[in-house]
Amino acid sequence: MKIVLLVLSGDPVSARAWLHEKYPGGLIEEISRGELESSTPLGRIRALHSHSPEIFAVATERLAWQSGQGDLLLFGTLAGARRVVLLDKCGHSRDETRPGVVARAPFRFARESLISALAVVHSRSGLKKLERAVEQRGNSNSPDRNGTGPLRIAYLRSTPGVGTQAGGAATHINGFVNAATDLGAEIRVISNDDIAGIDRTILKLVDPEPLGSSRAAFDLHNNLVFTRGAIRELEHSPVDLIYQRYARFSWAGVSASLRTGLPLFLEYNGSEVWMGKHWDMGGRLPLLTRFERLNLAAASRIFVVAEVERRNLLRAGVSDEKIVVNPNGVDTEKFRPGIGGVSARGELGVADDEILAGFVGTFGPWHGVLTLAEAITQMPADSKVRFLLIGAGRLREEVQRIISAAGKDLQVIFAGHVEHRRVPALLDACDILLSPHVPLEDGSEFFGSPTKLFEYMAIGKGIIASRLGQIGEVLVDEKTALLTEPGNVRQLADAIVRMSQSRDLRERLGAAAREAAIAKHTWKHNAQRVLDAYRDWSR
């Protein structure tokens, strides 16, 4: 039995394990997204057909968040598969035969098209009303708290994507929620998906509906679903402040603020319009631009992770008094030296005399994984350095290809996706930690504030990072890290060799980095700036 697996997101290893259990004895062959995305629709069908699939399996991180499921089922059928299976890492799946797919295709197409059209129509009419309401309200909303009791905050997380159930986004949400709670606030999280690490007693789920013929239509439809659910929850359990993690095609916080008269504090981690143009091609850019402008206009305060984003918002016409620079942070108790590294090294099979250099993050274009891969190929043949690469993404296959072509497979451990609770021990297992970020492809200023940067600092190991954006501002060359020029393979390789040869250097830089993390970069620092902003706004 020939199974052709397409991994859209999630962990390929767990997808293969699921298929082996479901179809014992099946021969699994992977087809990459790159092989399909670079072709026309007909070319994609031909590409899949050339693999002669009996079963076409599509793995995604979260099936409930996978748009265009009907299209995927039909795609596999047209390419010759007798059965099409959609699965996710949570154990959910859809399994349909070719006759079933063909019989249901007309109904599915009609339903998806209608729902998508209605989502666009309702979004355009809703935008007009909200834009008008925000313009008329101006800055007139004012606090009505009596000053007694804890500050009650509703945290809205409205549009998760790949990696947000765990990873940097979940880390940020957990860090803020836990720190704000420790500082005396009452937090209730309203989300349309689980968030790894969040206590279910404070989490209200508004379940998404997997409908919409495109990614944009899916998001627009679920914006309507989530907004209705969030407002119901806020009317049932009143709060003092609405704090939303900004997301594409979302007006939930704006609508809730207008309905309740409460201020909207917007956590703005970057422009979704920029992402739509250069990275996550979801379509409907003019509509997305209006959503973004609406959120920025309606927010009483906007929290950005880096000074670069403050400048971007000023250029976009946002008032300086609304913007608060609030970098990411770290829990220095969860991330500390001696948190399990010895056991983790044993599990990884790393010898005592080997130096382990670690990277954690997305295998995406600006994370510098291709630069890192090239640097690995330039390591001396007698080097005792091994590399631990944690994470996944669309460039992982290219990274593996570069390393294999250089005959360096034995020097690299690919850990794939790991639960965030395991990350501290894995970082503690390392002697060197790497953050080889590269400039953005379109020439924009680097606006990132990587959560892993602060986790690296707190764990107290030697750091090698790019002198880029906030990374080069937080870290000081030769004092808390070794900084290299972004994209410079030779510099990165030389820095790894230098640090691997000096335990004193690693320990000195690591201790200074942890001291800086404790003094300036905890999640309590991050949460306190939000609470201070509310206090200042409410005066």
Side-chain angles (χ1 to χ4, degrees):
M1 181 188 305
K2 177 75 169 294
I3 304 171
V4 177
L5 171 63
L6 169 64
V7 180
L8 292 180
S9 58
D11 183 12
V13 175
S14 62
R16 281 178 166 271
W18 188 93
L19 290 168
H20 278 305
E21 183 177 349
K22 179 77 171 178
Y23 306 103
L27 174 64
I28 301 175
E29 178 180 304
E30 284 193 44
I31 185 171
S32 69
R33 289 185 64 174
E35 185 177 345
L36 298 177
E37 288 177 344
S38 61
S39 184
T40 63
L42 182 58
R44 292 169 189 166
I45 293 173
R46 287 173 175 165
L48 178 57
H49 184 269
S50 69
H51 288 261
S52 304
E54 294 179 69
I55 297 175
F56 176 50
V58 181
T60 184
E61 183 172 324
R62 199 74 164 82
L63 199 55
W65 276 98
Q66 181 59 55
S67 60
Q69 294 185 25
D71 291 342
L72 289 170
L73 293 167
L74 187 59
F75 169 59
T77 297
L78 292 175
R82 293 187 294 104
R83 182 178 294 274
V84 182
V85 181
L86 311 181
L87 63 138
D88 68 17
K89 68 174 187 178
C90 301
H92 304 117
S93 63
R94 290 182 66 177
D95 186 342
E96 297 193 18
T97 63
R98 182 191 298 165
V101 172
V102 173
R104 297 183 186 97
F107 170 76
R108 283 175 175 155
F109 177 78
R111 182 172 183 242
E112 292 277 351
S113 297
L114 177 60
I115 289 172
S116 299
L118 289 175
V120 173
V121 170
H122 290 159
S123 297
R124 284 176 173 159
S125 63
L127 274 171
K128 288 182 180 179
K129 293 176 183 177
L130 291 173
E131 288 165 343
R132 194 159 47 242
V134 168
E135 184 177 359
Q136 291 172 352
R137 184 185 69 176
N139 297 317
S140 62
N141 62 327
S142 58
D144 58 1
R145 266 175 57 83
N146 57 20
T148 62
L151 177 64
R152 301 168 300 174
I153 303 174
Y155 189 114
L156 308 187
R157 199 288 295 268
S158 61
T159 310
V162 175
T164 57
Q165 286 71 37
T171 300
H172 190 151
I173 296 169
N174 275 274
F176 171 79
V177 169
N178 293 336
T181 301
D182 289 344
L183 291 169
E186 286 185 1
I187 311 290
R188 184 161 70 261
V189 179
I190 305 174
S191 172
N192 46 16
D193 203 357
D194 283 315
I195 304 168
I198 289 293
D199 186 342
R200 290 299 295 266
T201 63
I202 67 168
L203 178 64
K204 172 64 178 179
L205 287 177
V206 179
D207 292 327
E209 297 178 357
L211 300 170
S213 58
S214 66
R215 176 71 177 278
F218 176 90
D219 290 338
L220 290 169
H221 174 74
N222 278 289
N223 170 54
L224 302 174
V225 172
F226 181 77
T227 300
R228 288 193 295 267
I231 289 175
R232 280 197 304 269
E233 178 65 15
L234 290 172
E235 289 176 340
H236 180 261
S237 302
V239 297
D240 305 305
L241 170 65
I242 297 167
Y243 183 98
Q244 179 171 359
R245 183 178 175 89
Y246 170 64
R248 67 179 178 273
F249 293 119
S250 176
W251 67 39
V254 178
S255 185
S257 175
L258 291 168
R259 179 74 67 90
T260 62
L262 297 172
L264 169 64
F265 279 16
L266 194 69
E267 181 191 299
Y268 182 83
N269 293 295
S271 169
E272 288 293 341
V273 174
W274 185 92
M275 291 287 286
K277 289 178 179 177
H278 303 288
W279 169 242
D280 189 7
M281 312 300 184
R284 299 279 179 184
L285 282 178
L287 205 57
L288 182 59
T289 301
R290 289 179 62 188
F291 269 88
E292 187 154 297
R293 288 173 180 166
L294 173 69
N295 276 270
L296 296 175
S300 298
R301 292 291 183 272
I302 303 169
F303 297 86
V304 297
V305 293
E307 179 65 27
V308 171
E309 280 298 351
R310 187 186 75 86
R311 294 196 293 270
N312 288 338
L313 289 181
L314 290 174
R315 283 192 288 268
V318 176
S319 170
D320 192 20
E321 68 178 11
K322 291 175 62 169
I323 307 171
V324 179
V325 178
N326 197 18
N328 287 325
V330 64
D331 183 331
T332 55
E333 286 303 306
K334 288 183 179 178
F335 288 85
R336 58 181 171 81
I339 199 69
V342 174
S343 296
R345 284 179 75 96
E347 293 170 4
L348 293 167
V350 179
D352 291 341
D353 64 341
E354 290 181 314
I355 299 296
L356 187 61
F359 165 89
V360 59
T362 303
F363 283 58
W366 58 78
H367 291 260
V369 289
L370 297 182
T371 300
L372 176 56
E374 295 290 354
I376 292 172
T377 70
Q378 294 193 16
M379 296 296 292
D382 61 350
S383 170
K384 286 280 190 178
V385 180
R386 292 183 70 189
F387 294 84
L388 173 64
L389 307 186
I390 305 168
R394 67 182 188 180
L395 293 180
R396 175 170 165 167
E397 290 181 5
E398 180 67 9
V399 169
Q400 289 179 302
R401 187 196 64 75
I402 292 171
I403 290 169
S404 294
K408 297 284 187 177
D409 297 88
L410 295 179
Q411 278 69 55
V412 182
I413 303 168
F414 286 92
H417 276 298
V418 302
E419 295 181 18
H420 193 255
R421 63 181 177 83
R422 292 184 55 210
V423 172
L426 291 173
L427 295 186
D428 189 42
C430 297
D431 303 285
I432 301 169
L433 296 171
L434 305 168
S435 180
H437 288 74
V438 295
L440 302 175
E441 293 177 343
D442 74 321
S444 300
E445 273 192 281
F446 185 83
F447 55 79
S449 177
T451 54
K452 72 180 176 192
L453 171 65
F454 304 103
E455 293 171 352
Y456 285 2
M457 294 173 70
I459 212 75
K461 301 301 175 78
I463 300 171
I464 300 172
S466 296
R467 188 182 286 104
L468 183 67
Q470 189 184 79
I471 300 170
E473 296 168 359
V474 170
L475 297 173
V476 181
D477 190 31
E478 300 287 348
K479 292 185 177 181
T480 54
L482 295 184
L483 298 182
T484 63
E485 289 306 307
N488 191 315
V489 173
R490 186 69 264 162
Q491 275 194 22
L492 178 58
D494 289 345
I496 295 171
V497 170
R498 177 189 168 194
M499 192 173 280
S500 71
Q501 295 173 344
S502 175
R503 180 172 181 172
D504 288 343
L505 177 63
R506 297 194 300 271
E507 290 182 349
R508 175 175 64 82
L509 296 179
R514 176 166 172 81
E515 184 178 337
I518 293 171
K520 302 177 182 178
H521 302 298
T522 68
W523 284 117
K524 280 195 175 180
H525 288 101
N526 177 281
Q528 188 64 62
R529 281 187 282 267
V530 175
L531 301 185
D532 289 345
Y534 180 82
R535 185 192 63 231
D536 293 342
W537 174 85
S538 61
R539 284 174 179 169

